Amino acid sequence: ERAKVYAVDANSGVGLWSVVVDTHALARIVGAPVYYDGRLFVPVSSAEESAARNPQYACCTFRGGLAALDAATGKLLWKSHSIQDEPPPVRISSAGAQMHGPAGGAIWSAPTIDVQRRLIYVATGNSYTDVDADGSDAIVAFDLDTGERRWANQLTRGDNFATGWPKD
């Protein structure tokens, strides 16, 4: 479980809680979580691009994520994705793998909180497939309280890092 968050007592070093914020097998947390008003906001990324180099891999189903946790208990308050819809099957590759899309939009860095507007902003990475996604290569704003995706401003369209995506 690579997308797991841990809370540790700073004085004793004793673990307080842990929670998985994304169940995708290749999900990772690489950006720093941000604390605000009793909540911990955790950005979620993945290593799916590397797995996609295997022609047998059914690419790609990961969608960048942002989770809000109760900092005291670890309870998941909400989770949202930079690419909103689950990636449907698109086609079968020449190697026989089921291909999906859109996917990607990983969140690699710490989010930014806008207290006045009650929004939290994230910067997302590229698309993992050749199926366009407005939540990749974008600044995405989520409602601070509910996690609802408010808007996305895609800065680079067509940035599809489809290393494992067969061009057949």
Side-chain angles (χ1 to χ4, degrees), residues 33-94:
V34 172
Y35 175 86
Y36 173 72
D37 196 25
R39 290 178 285 168
L40 193 62
F41 297 92
V42 182
V44 185
S45 184
S46 86
E48 191 169 38
E49 288 172 308
S50 295
R53 292 184 174 138
N54 176 348
Q56 301 302 317
Y57 181 74
C59 182
C60 286
T61 57
F62 175 80
R63 302 176 291 148
L66 182 64
L69 306 176
D70 180 296
T73 67
K75 178 183 176 191
L76 180 66
L77 302 174
W78 56 257
K79 180 168 179 211
S80 295
H81 295 278
S82 53
I83 297 173
Q84 292 185 295
D85 297 327
E86 291 274 346
V90 176
R91 64 185 171 91
I92 303 294
S93 74
S94 60

Side-chain angles (χ1 to χ4, degrees), residues 38-160:
R39 290 178 285 168
L40 193 62
F41 297 92
V42 182
V44 185
S45 184
S46 86
E48 191 169 38
E49 288 172 308
S50 295
R53 292 184 174 138
N54 176 348
Q56 301 302 317
Y57 181 74
C59 182
C60 286
T61 57
F62 175 80
R63 302 176 291 148
L66 182 64
L69 306 176
D70 180 296
T73 67
K75 178 183 176 191
L76 180 66
L77 302 174
W78 56 257
K79 180 168 179 211
S80 295
H81 295 278
S82 53
I83 297 173
Q84 292 185 295
D85 297 327
E86 291 274 346
V90 176
R91 64 185 171 91
I92 303 294
S93 74
S94 60
Q98 178 64 64
M99 307 308 282
H100 299 83
I107 303 171
W108 294 94
S109 58
T112 300
I113 295 175
D114 182 339
V115 176
Q116 184 176 0
R117 291 182 178 86
R118 302 295 298 167
L119 295 174
I120 184 165
Y121 307 110
V122 298
T124 66
N126 57 285
S127 167
Y128 294 175
T129 71
D130 61 5
V131 180
D132 289 333
D134 73 345
S136 65
D137 288 304
I139 304 299
V140 181
F142 297 98
D143 184 283
L144 191 59
D145 301 306
T146 67
E148 176 187 350
R149 189 176 112 158
R150 291 292 184 86
W151 53 261
N153 182 9
Q154 188 176 44
L155 304 170
T156 306
R157 295 187 195 292
D159 181 24
N160 301 320

